[in-house]
Every structure is written in C-alpha cells, then in structure tokens.
Amino acid sequence: MKIRGLIATAAAGALALGLAACGAEEEPSTGPVSLRMTVWSSNEAHLKLFNEIADAYKAKNPRSPR
C-alpha cells in the first residue's frame, strides 16, 4: 500500500508542476512564426498531400514565413 501512495503522490506532484508551468501568460507575438513539420515518407502522394496542407495553412496564416 505504501508504494501506491508514493506513486500517487509523485504523479500528483508532477501534474501540479505541469499545470503551474502552463499558467504563465505571455504577450502574443506580432512577428513571423516558424513552424516545422517532419514526415517519414517518400511516397509522392503523401508528400503532395503534406505540401497542400502546408500551402492551405500559409494562406490562412499570413504571419507564417514563406
């Protein structure tokens, strides 16, 4: 029973630290935003689809670098 209590306490502590880290508010950025997408495929159909997704994202998010 002591092991379960120790594990529960450690999990609760990790959760509390994680939530505390998410609580800080930051000013929204007004400059360009860099995003990177990694794929593990050389399939031409997959690459075409991913490029179409990226192009659609860039069209909707003009702050993204081209």
Side-chain angles (χ1 to χ4, degrees):
M1 280 299 222
K2 282 189 175 187
I3 299 279
R4 284 187 188 172
L6 210 63
I7 292 172
T9 302
L15 178 63
L17 287 175
L19 291 175
C22 294
E25 293 201 20
E26 297 179 18
E27 279 189 41
S29 174
T30 57
V33 177
S34 296
L35 299 175
R36 181 182 300 181
M37 182 172 72
T38 303
V39 296
W40 289 272
S41 177
S42 61
N43 180 307
E44 290 298 323
H46 293 167
L47 297 176
K48 182 178 182 263
L49 175 64
F50 290 132
N51 284 326
E52 289 171 359
I53 292 169
D55 290 341
Y57 177 86
K58 288 178 183 179
K60 289 182 182 179
N61 299 280
R63 288 184 25 207
S64 297
R66 303 264 168 186

